Every structure is written in C-alpha cells, then in structure tokens.
Amino acid sequence: MSSRTPIPDADPTLTIGVLGAGQLGRMLALAGVPLGYRFVFVDPSPGAPAAAVGEQIACGFTDPIGQAALLACRVVTYEFESVPVEAAEELATHVPVFPPPMALRVAQDRLFEKSCFRTLGIGTAPFEAVDSLNDLSRAVANLGLPAVLKTRRLGYDGKGQFVIERREDVALAWDAVGRAPSILEGFVRFERELSLIAVRGRDGECAFYPLVENHHKKGILRKTLAPAPALTSELQDTATAYGIRILDHLDYVGVLAIELFQIGTALLVNEIAPRVHNSGHYSIEGSRTSQFENHLRAILGLPLGDPSAVSPSCMLNLVGALPDSGAVLQIPDAHLHLYGKVPRPGRKVGHITVRGKDDAELAARVAALQALPGVCDSDS
Ligand code: AMP
C-alpha cells in the first residue's frame, strides 16, 4: 500500500489515468499536457520515468489506493501490456478503459494472438500449441526445423524463446522455456522486419502510419527507419488491410502496434502490442501527429491527427549507456529523448530521432550519430 497526496484542484474531467509509469507513459504525458490534460500513473516502482511529468501513485496495479485514483479519472489507459487483465476489466465496469481489456487478453498470450490472426485470415508463421515435451516433439515433426519455441505469456524483447536447430535439442528447448505453456513457430526466413502503427478512435475512425523498418540486436529494438526504405503502396495496403481487420475485430480504441515480417511482397504478422510502441517513437518529430498524441485523441474521443511523415527519419535507441548530450545535439535535426533512468546493460534509457531532407542526408546524419560513444552498440 502507498499513501498519496492528490494534486490540488485536479479536475477529474481533465485527468487521464495510466497503468504503468515507464517512458511510454512519460511521452504520453508530454503529448497530453499541451492539450490541457493531467496524468495519474499507477506503477509499483517509485520514481518511474513518468513521475517527472504527472502524479505517480507508487503501488501495485490492483492496490485499492491506485484503483480509487484511476476511478476518479476521465479515462484510463495503459502503457505496459503485462497489467493484470482482471484489474483492467474491473476498472472498465466503472470508467472508460481503452484499449479494451479484451485486446490486452489477446496480446498477453501468444496462442490467443496467433489464433486471432488465423481466424481473421491474416498471414502468420505456422504454429502449434505446446504444453508438454510430447507436444513439442509432435510439433517439431509437423513444422520441421529450425523452429522457434516461445512461452505463451510474459515473453518480450526476445525473452522466453529458444530457436531449435536440431532434433536433439528438443528437451533442452523445453527446459530453456521453463516447461511453461508455449507455442512452436516455424522459422521464418524474412527479408526484413517492419511494423505498422495503427490507431482507431472511439467512433471507429482509423489512421495508419507508414510502415517502418526495424533492426534488433540481442532481441532489443535498436533502430527504426521511417518510412521503411523502398516502401511500396502495395505493401502499405496489405499491412493496412490487416490492421483494419484486427482493429475492428477487437473493437479497438487507441494505438495498436503490429509487428510484421516481410518476404517479397508478402507480410506475416508476428505480434501485436496494445499500446504506443518503441517503433513509433520517431513520430514525435517525424510525423505530422505523434503516436502519443493520436493515442490520446483516440481514447478521448477527439478527431485523429494526420499520421503522415514530414521527412525521412531514423530513431536510434539508447541501450545500456548515455551518450554526451552536446555531441548528439550538434548533429543537425537530431532530437534527444532521455527517460531519467540509470543505465544498466540491456536497459532502454533514451532514444534519438534524426531527420534528413532525403535518404542521403539522413544516412550521413545517422552515421555521424552512430560514431558517437554511447550511441551505437552502447551495451556491448
Ligand atoms: P518476438 O518476441 O515474437 O517479437 O520475437 C523476437 C524476435 O525474434 C523477432 O523480432 C524476430 O527477429 C525473431 N523471431 C520471432 N519469431 C520468429 C520466427 N517465427 N522466425 C524467425 N524469427 C523470429
């Protein structure tokens, strides 16, 4: 339990409640304060990144003090998808909660998620449910190798996964995922990883950002190029059609991130995140309306903003180390975002978005940034 000092004169009709107080919450508030809103964050880690820009109630997601504060808000959202679905469902019986808790339930379980894509006729890697070593052996026989074993729940940034290359490694893989309920996926030899930031308003209006190209290292997003280089209208249309099906099926409200694999002109959906997403951070400077502002517009029932790109841009995550701010800001049109976190290996502590008038100018600026200590390979 935690005590709280409410904001004096806080108008509940102008207060947005957020489950989670990480950097995504911080950037939501940075987009919402100019629109006249205040933010209350519930998160068990005291002094979380969003505490600098709103009121943080440092307690568990189901703590009555946190719940009471959220119930007094105009609308409740989340910036972190592992919040207990039951807590979101309970809140939703008293106050508008967006995205709908059903989306949280689907996104928290890889089997529900992949089954949802299959039902909607959306391309995905072949997969089978695995609840035992026997199931795993059968799934390996059916799908072939290599294949990726993933826990159904609580896997992110490549955690809770094992790539099985050889039949002899089946038992090893099962132990590596803690013998937890899992899915086995066929290994996809994709050309590149893309993501689509989609947003749907309370009235069903949708908007789609251009597809972006994502680069990961050790399972963590390092770089996003926006829009994705060589993006064709066919590819964008395929992704948008998938997006509409998922958004409508979930009766979704807010920003939804859809992660995709590209193989030629085909797209397979890997997973969804029912929240603003790291691959959309570039949109603060790279789009006419940022993903953070559009998420708030959507959940508040306001008209959505234009998601189109203002110029080619690149987002570089700062992982495990901080560069010298002055050196970063010396690069023209580079924008530094620090989350107020202490650097630790593998921890996202900030990001940089840099823009260029064309691809060549952007590439030169990205190269200059990546040459700085603490920007590229900052955790290796
Ligand atoms: P995920 O946790 O599902 O986002 O997976 C983390 C990363 O592992 C992805 O960004 C891909 O690079 C890779 N990956 C995931 N699933 C597959 C797959 N079925 N085939 C090949 N690579 C995959």
Side-chain angles (χ1 to χ4, degrees), residues 233-253:
S233 54
E234 288 76 12
L235 208 60
Q236 182 73 32
D237 290 349
T238 303
T240 300
Y242 283 177
I244 291 170
R245 268 183 253 172
I246 298 170
L247 291 171
D248 287 347
H249 175 73
L250 296 173
D251 200 14
Y252 199 86
V253 175

Side-chain angles (χ1 to χ4, degrees), residues 57-290:
I57 300 167
C59 68
F61 297 119
T62 53
D63 187 306
I65 290 183
Q67 296 276 307
L70 294 172
L71 288 177
C73 293
R74 174 182 181 142
V75 60
V76 172
T77 189
Y78 20 82
E79 58 97 71
F80 159 72
E81 73 231 50
S82 295
V83 295
V85 178
E86 297 70 25
E89 281 171 345
E90 167 58 20
L91 280 167
T93 60
H94 305 286
V95 62
V97 175
F98 297 121
M102 173 52 100
L104 208 53
R105 193 176 282 287
V106 170
Q108 282 180 0
D109 186 312
R110 292 188 192 272
L111 182 61
F112 294 170
E113 192 181 38
K114 288 252 156 42
S115 305
C116 169
F117 305 151
R118 190 179 266 172
T119 308
L120 296 174
I122 290 172
T124 188
F127 67 94
E128 290 197 11
V130 170
D131 289 319
S132 65
L133 186 56
N134 272 348
D135 285 355
L136 181 56
S137 300
R138 194 175 49 236
V140 164
N142 291 340
L143 299 180
L145 293 179
V148 191
L149 184 64
K150 301 180 180 179
T151 54
R152 281 174 59 173
R153 300 179 60 82
L154 299 177
Y156 64 94
D157 284 348
K159 297 194 178 82
Q161 298 196 14
F162 190 100
V163 178
I164 309 177
E165 309 267 3
R166 309 173 309 159
R167 257 169 210 282
E168 305 87 275
D169 292 342
V170 164
L172 185 70
W174 184 233
D175 285 341
V177 299
R179 305 178 180 204
S182 296
I183 63 169
L184 185 73
E185 290 180 16
F187 192 88
V188 179
R189 300 197 187 278
F190 53 79
E191 282 153 32
R192 59 176 174 169
E193 293 189 75
L194 303 170
S195 58
L196 178 71
I197 304 294
V199 56
R200 185 171 183 270
R202 283 166 82 155
D203 60 358
E205 177 196 5
C206 294
F208 299 91
Y209 287 78
L211 282 166
V212 297
E213 179 181 302
N214 298 319
H215 297 260
H216 299 84
K217 205 175 94 193
K218 295 187 201 155
I220 300 175
L221 181 69
R222 303 298 164 135
K223 180 165 100 171
T224 295
L225 289 166
L231 178 59
T232 62
S233 54
E234 288 76 12
L235 208 60
Q236 182 73 32
D237 290 349
T238 303
T240 300
Y242 283 177
I244 291 170
R245 268 183 253 172
I246 298 170
L247 291 171
D248 287 347
H249 175 73
L250 296 173
D251 200 14
Y252 199 86
V253 175
V255 161
L256 177 80
I258 305 175
E259 296 185 37
L260 304 132
F261 298 143
Q262 181 183 353
I263 309 151
T265 56
L267 290 175
L268 300 180
V269 175
N270 180 36
E271 62 180 1
I272 54 173
R275 53 169 171 77
V276 286
H277 192 255
N278 196 169
S279 68
H281 289 3
Y282 81 90
S283 65
I284 297 174
E285 294 89 9
S287 308
R288 293 193 195 283
T289 314
S290 79

Side-chain angles (χ1 to χ4, degrees), residues 217 316-318 369-380:
K217 205 175 94 193
L316 297 170
N317 264 342
L318 301 173
L369 283 165
Q370 287 183 317
L372 297 175
V375 174
C376 195
D377 296 336
S378 43
D379 74 329
S380 57

